[in-house]
Amino acid sequence: MSVMGSMYTGISGLTTHAERMSVLGNNLANTSTVGFKSGSVQFEDLFYSSRTLGASVGQVGHGSRVSSIYQDFSQGAYENTGSVTDLAIGGRGFFMVKDSVNGTEYVTRAGNFNFNKEGFLVNPQGLRVQGWKAGVTEASLTQGPIGDLQLDTFQSEPKETSIMSLSLNLSNKAVDKTTPAVPPAAGVGTDYFALFTKWDANTSPKEPIGDDTYSYQKTMNVFDKSGSAHEVTVYFDKARDETGRVTWEYVVAADPSEDGRPAFASADKKGVLMAGTMSFNSAGAMENMSAYTYRNSAVAPAVSNPDLKASWLPAEFDENGFPIFTANFSGLADVNDTNDVSATGEKPERIALDFGMSSKSAGMAYVNATQTMADTETADTNIASIAAADINKTKKAATSYDIASTTNSMNQDGYTAGFLQEITVDRNGVVSGRYSNGRKEELFVLGISDFANEQGLNLVGGNLYTASSSSGQANVSTANTGRVGSVSSNTLELSNVDMSRQMVKLITTQRGYQSNSKVITTSDEMLQEAINLKR
C-alpha cells in the first residue's frame, strides 16, 4: 500500500472516532434526560488488499468504519416525584403516545405525563397517551379499542341500593316485649306480627313505634336513584312459638315522610317496607325465615288497604334468592309494590334483605307463597318459609346465642354522587379515580408496547421511538403480563447513562483520534522526504 493510502487509512480512523465522540457527547448531554437510553458505537475494519510475499500471501487493511450504533435498553434508576401521573416501567416495554394531528404513533420510556385542559393524558409534546377504557367486570380488565385516554368527567354517578346486609346475633336471653291483644292459644294463632300491628304512623308520625316495643334495632342508610340517602331501620323482637323453636319477628321500616308509595299516603303502616320472622334451633343457629311485603291486589286505580294484613304476601326474591322490598323513595306515580311500573316505564327501588340466608331454588318462591300475613297470624302452618332443600345459608347468617344482641357487620351497595378527588395508577397500569363518596372506580388501562428487536427502533428525538421493519410490529398488551414489566406511579425512570464509563470512553476515543492524526502527519512527513529526494 502506498504512503498516500496510509493517509486515507488514518482519515477513516479520524472519521470513526469522531462519530464515536458524537455519540458520547449525546450520551453526556442527556445524562439528566428522563427515560434516555445511552448509545454505544461499534467499529469494524474495512476491506483488505492482498500482497504476494514470496511463498506466502499477505493482506493490508485500509482502515475502519462504524459498523453499528446500539442503544442500551437496560433499566435506568428511579426518581420519586410525588406526581401521580409520572410513570415508569420496571422491565420491558414502552408507553404508547399518538399525535392527534397526523395520527403518527410513537413509543417512549419517558413517563412524564399530565392531564391537559381537555382532560387528555399527554406527554410534554402534547402527544396523547394510548390505552383502553377499564373493563366493567373482574373477568375483563379492558373494554373497547385502544385509543386516547381522556378524563371527560369528574363526577361519579350515584347508585341506588339493591341489597342491604346484616350479620347479627339476637340474644337468646331477650324477652318478648310486644304481644298481640289476644295471645295465641296452644296450636292456634301466632304473635309473629305484633310489631307490625304496633306500628302507627298516623298517631305518632315521628315515632311510629316506641322504644319499649322491641328488643333490638339497627339503622343504616340506603340510597335512591338520585343518590339521596334514606334511613332504613330493622326492628327485632322475640316472638312466641308453640313448637318450642326460638323465633324472632322483625319489621323493616323507613321514615313515614319518605315513603313514596301512593297507597300508603294516609295509612297507619306508612313507612313499613317488610315484616317477617326468623327461626333458630336450640343451638342458636338460624333455621329459616319469612318475609312479607305489601301487594296491591286491587284493580287500578283502586288499591288494597296496606293496613290490613291480608294485603301483605310473601315477598318475591331477587336473582340471588334474597327477599326484596320497595319504599318508592323516588315517588313514582302509581307504584306501590316491587312489581309496579310507572306510566313512563320506571321501576321503583328494589332492595334485597340479606340476613345470611337465601333460596337457591330456580323458582325462588316461598313455601305457602299465596298465604297472607293474616293467614299466618291465624295458623302457624301457613307461614312462608324456604324449602329445606333450597336453603342457602352463609357463615354470616344470623344467630341467637346466649349473649347480648349485637351487629357483627352491616353494609349496603348504594352510594351518592361523588366528585373526583384523587387519581391513582397501580402496577398493572390501571388508572383509577377516588371520589368524595368513598368510591374508587377504574377509569383507564395503559397500553404497553413491546418489540421483538428493540435495537431496530427509530430514534426521532423528544424521547420518542417509532417502529421499523427491523424492530417488527408492536406487541401491545397491558402492564405486568407476559414479559412486559409493571408500572410505578409517582416515579420517573432516569437516564441510564453511566458517566464514569462515558469518561473512560472519552479518553480512549481522544487517544484513538490522536493516534490516527499521527498516522496522517507521519505519512505527510514521509511524502515530504520522498519529494526532497529530487534536490
Side-chain angles (χ1 to χ4, degrees), residues 181-373:
V182 180
V188 180
T190 68
D191 73 342
Y192 292 158
F193 309 109
L195 273 181
F196 175 87
T197 303
K198 202 75 173 178
W199 184 279
D200 189 347
N202 286 321
T203 303
S204 305
K206 291 188 177 181
E207 192 176 333
I209 193 168
D211 293 341
D212 59 345
T213 59
Y214 54 85
S215 297
Y216 191 63
Q217 62 87 19
K218 203 65 185 177
T219 300
M220 71 170 67
N221 282 334
V222 298
F223 297 87
D224 63 22
K225 297 174 182 294
S226 66
S228 296
H230 305 270
E231 286 189 351
V232 171
T233 302
V234 187
Y235 300 92
F236 301 92
D237 191 35
K238 209 167 187 180
R240 298 185 187 182
D241 186 341
E242 299 300 335
T243 66
R245 291 176 304 176
V246 178
T247 303
W248 285 74
E249 62 173 310
Y250 67 89
V251 168
V252 181
D255 187 329
S257 65
E258 297 180 352
D259 190 342
R261 296 170 293 179
F264 287 72
S266 58
D268 290 342
K269 306 309 174 190
K270 186 176 185 180
V272 177
L273 311 178
M274 178 183 280
T277 63
M278 304 162 68
S279 61
F280 302 87
N281 63 21
S282 59
M286 189 175 179
E287 284 189 327
N288 216 312
M289 67 171 292
S290 67
Y292 295 83
T293 56
Y294 171 76
R295 199 76 58 83
N296 182 22
S297 58
V299 178
V303 293
S304 303
N305 185 356
D307 289 338
L308 300 178
K309 294 183 178 71
S311 298
W312 292 73
L313 283 162
E316 293 188 338
F317 292 107
D318 71 356
E319 63 275 10
N320 297 312
F322 295 110
I324 55 175
F325 62 85
T326 183
N328 190 12
F329 291 123
S330 302
L332 301 176
D334 301 323
V335 172
N336 293 294
D337 63 46
T338 54
N339 288 321
D340 286 342
V341 179
S342 71
T344 58
E346 291 185 83
K347 294 182 178 181
E349 298 85 3
R350 294 161 55 95
I351 302 175
L353 181 63
D354 175 15
F355 283 141
M357 179 173 286
S358 61
S359 172
K360 58 185 178 182
S361 168
M364 290 188 181
Y366 276 117
V367 176
N368 293 327
T370 61
Q371 302 297 319
T372 67
M373 188 185 288

Side-chain angles (χ1 to χ4, degrees), residues 147-190:
D148 301 340
L149 300 185
Q150 183 181 21
L151 190 62
D152 53 5
T153 179
F154 294 88
Q155 184 170 298
S156 170
E157 294 183 356
K159 179 183 181 296
E160 64 181 282
T161 299
S162 64
I163 187 169
M164 54 182 289
S165 303
L166 279 171
S167 176
L168 43 78
N169 179 72
L170 300 172
S171 177
N172 191 33
K173 293 181 178 179
V175 297
D176 187 355
K177 290 190 175 183
T178 299
T179 58
V182 180
V188 180
T190 68

